[in-house]
Structures are given as C-alpha cells and as structure tokens.
Amino acid sequence: MPLTRAKITALGCYTPPKLLTNADLEKMVDTSDTWIRERTGILERHIVEKGVATSDLALEACRRVLEQRSLRPTEIEAILVATVTPDTFFPATACNLQHKLGAVGAWGFDISAACSGFLFALATGAQFIATGTHKKVLVVGADVMSSIINYEDRATCVIFGDGAGAVLLEPVEPGEGDVGILDFLHEVDGSGGCFLQMPAGGSRLPASIETVRRKLHYVHQDGPQVFKYAVRKMYEVGQAILERNSLTPADLDVFIPHQANRRIIDATVERMGLRPEQVLINIDRYGNTTAATIPLATADAIQQGKLKKGGLALFAAAGAGYTVGAVLVRWAY
Ligand code: UT7
C-alpha cells in the first residue's frame, strides 16, 4: 500500500497570562537578571495560576487549531499529547483533553519524551496519516513545568516556563507537491537518564512523606551534562537528516530548535553554519516550556515571515531521557 505523507494544516498556541520575570526570581532565590540573561538568554516566562493543568493550556491551543480550519471537535480522529507534566499519572492528559474539547469519537494517548516530546508525537501522528487510517490527527506539546519546579533551586527555577502548542495533521493531497513532513530522525539514550529527571512519584520511588521531604518530586538536573549532550546531538541529528535528504543547512528557510538555553542554540547554529536570519529564537519571552517550545517557536516563525507556504523548516530538540529528535518539514499553508 503506498504511504500518504502528512502535512501540518493549522497551528495554535497558548501561554498563561501570568509572567514570572527575572526581577521576580531575584526576590525568590540568590540569582540576578544579569546571570540569567547571560547564561540562558531568558528574560521572562509564563506560569499558570494554581489549579491550572496541562490539559487546560492544551485545550486553548487546540481550540485555536480547530478555529483556523473551521472544524468541529467531532471531526478529530486522534489526539496525541506530548508532556512530562500530565494532569495526573492516569487517566492520560489526552483523555482529559478529548473530553474538554468535545472530540467525541477520537482516541489518543500521552507521549513522554520531555523536550523532544513534540517531535516524537509529530512523527507518531504522521504514521497514522501515512497508513491512510486517519485523516485528522491533533498533535499537542504542552507542559506545566511550574508544577514540578523547586522555586528554591536557582539552577532549575530560572529556566522553565509553562505553555502549549498544537498542530493538525492531515494527508497531503495528490498533486500538492513536495510538502508536509518529509522526514524524521529520533534517538533515545537511556544512559543519560540520571542527568535530568524527577526522581520520585513513579513505581521505583512511590510518593511518600520521605520523598516529599527530600524534594524528590521536583526537576533534578545536572545542567552542564545536559548542555553538552544537547549541543552535540542536536547538531548530529540536524546534519544527518539534512544529508540523507541531499540538503545542506543553506537550503533551510528556518531552523527551529528546542528553546532550552540561548547558548545551546547559538553553539548548534554555529556548528551547522547557519545564518542568524535562518534561526528562530524566542527563549527570551518563554523560557524552556519543554514539549511546547517547538510549536511556540513555529508560531513566531510564521508571524515573523521566516516560515511561509513552501518554506523548508528543520525542527530539532534534545532533552531528558536522553531523547533527541529532528523533523524536516516543507510548510504546506
Ligand atoms: O530542555 C531540557 C534540557 N535542559 C537543558 O538543555 C539545560 C542545559 N543546561 C543549561 O542550560 C545550563 O547548564 C544551566 C543554565 C542549567 C546552568 O548554566 P551553566 O553555565 O552550565 O552553569 P553551571 O551549572 O556550570 O554553574 C555555574 C555557576 C555555579 O556556581 P559556582 O559553583 O561556579 O560558584 C552555579 O551555582 O553558576 C551558579 N548558578 C547560578 N548563579 C546565579 C547556577 N544557577 C544560577 C543562577 N543564578 N540561577
């Protein structure tokens, strides 16, 4: 059976209105606006009010997608949610989202691949389109990182923010040309798991008074280790996916990297030999929103005119797991 290529036909994003600025963080931990700007490139991030969950952010992003395509929720066939901050361990955030959206008849599930989550979900969703079994798949990247951040740990609390992004995948029509999701290249390396994790709350270390006392339900990170992995692997997968498609960095209209640290992006861009105007950076306004960074950055790329119909985009992300991924897309609308 010939495979059908998937294309992105709509994109919606949502960030909660509340801002957490570097000045706010200066009052909370021993840090400075200068350190945060120089070491991460972040100026502010959005965080939720108490009680707001990942599916609430995802819902707003998905509503914007449906609005763009003038679709009814019941036309959605599957919902994939990439997140490391699900509303609950179970049921899946995809189920909560399906219910709130009113996507009656859809199925779905969550994907846990941290910062690479949106790209892993995009590749997964594209397979359902490829086989011809599905015609409308929602792919969501959403995280409420503020729910698992220790706001007494200056090494992690300055980095992360909350947000959501969603895209609709539909089949490329015959005669539409070389558009859509052209290729993906993903890897995991579990040997790096210890360098970025939430140690407790799972089956190995179930929640207890002791795990809470030891602050094991928060993000624990060896920043420099993850930094080195991210720079090396985002470059490697980026180069490899271009090479196997007989492309070079110069062919790209836009490189949309995961927004974890401005210095990671700059180092990757320099190694790939990309021109600054080919790169989308918006970490200054959002921080690291984990699974939401790529859709949030793609929305900005469209808004800034860097990504237009027919434009070639390379998405790349790396993070906890370790996980790393690259997706090559020719923009279809
Ligand atoms: O998306 C998920 C994947 N995550 C990442 O990609 C994150 C990758 N890592 C990073 O972005 C960086 O490693 C960090 C931003 C987390 C840290 O920056 P760094 O330049 O690697 O700093 P460091 O951890 O090597 O620490 C350097 C110094 C230390 O002080 P001493 O030991 O030299 O006195 C830290 O205690 O900076 C100190 N420091 C801070 N100082 C002020 C760490 N965090 C802060 C802070 N404010 N917020």
Side-chain angles (χ1 to χ4, degrees), residues 155-168:
T156 51
C157 74
V158 302
I159 305 170
F160 293 97
D162 303 337
V167 296
L168 182 70

Side-chain angles (χ1 to χ4, degrees), residues 116 119-120 123 181-188 233-245 314-317 323-328:
S116 310
L119 298 187
F120 281 30
I181 297 181
L182 305 181
D183 197 6
F184 72 91
L185 177 51
H186 296 344
E187 279 177 31
V188 302
K233 290 305 290 190
M234 286 217 296
Y235 166 75
E236 275 180 22
V237 294
Q239 278 299 127
I241 199 170
L242 288 175
E243 273 166 30
R244 77 180 188 191
N245 286 276
L314 174 63
F315 302 142
T323 59
V324 62
V327 177
L328 195 59

Side-chain angles (χ1 to χ4, degrees), residues 29-32 35-36 39-40 115 154-156 158-160 196 221-228 230 258-261 263-264 288 290 318-320:
V29 286
D30 180 16
T31 191
S32 67
W35 192 96
I36 302 171
R39 305 307 291 172
T40 72
C115 300
R154 67 177 183 175
T156 51
V158 302
I159 305 170
F160 293 97
L196 179 49
Q221 174 172 246
D222 181 333
Q225 286 290 344
V226 182
F227 189 104
K228 281 184 263 175
H258 172 52
Q259 312 280 315
N261 186 317
R263 290 182 298 128
I264 293 176
N288 180 351
T290 303

Side-chain angles (χ1 to χ4, degrees), residues 133-205:
T133 55
H134 292 64
K135 301 244 181 295
K136 287 185 174 50
V137 177
L138 268 178
V139 174
V140 182
D143 271 299
V144 175
M145 293 306 291
S146 61
S147 66
I148 55 167
I149 292 298
N150 176 3
Y151 284 99
E152 292 174 352
D153 174 15
R154 67 177 183 175
T156 51
C157 74
V158 302
I159 305 170
F160 293 97
D162 303 337
V167 296
L168 182 70
L169 292 180
E170 295 185 78
V172 170
E173 301 297 335
E176 227 184 323
D178 197 25
V179 297
I181 297 181
L182 305 181
D183 197 6
F184 72 91
L185 177 51
H186 296 344
E187 279 177 31
V188 302
D189 175 4
S191 71
C194 56
F195 298 120
L196 179 49
Q197 60 173 328
M198 187 174 103
S203 54
R204 185 170 308 283
L205 211 49

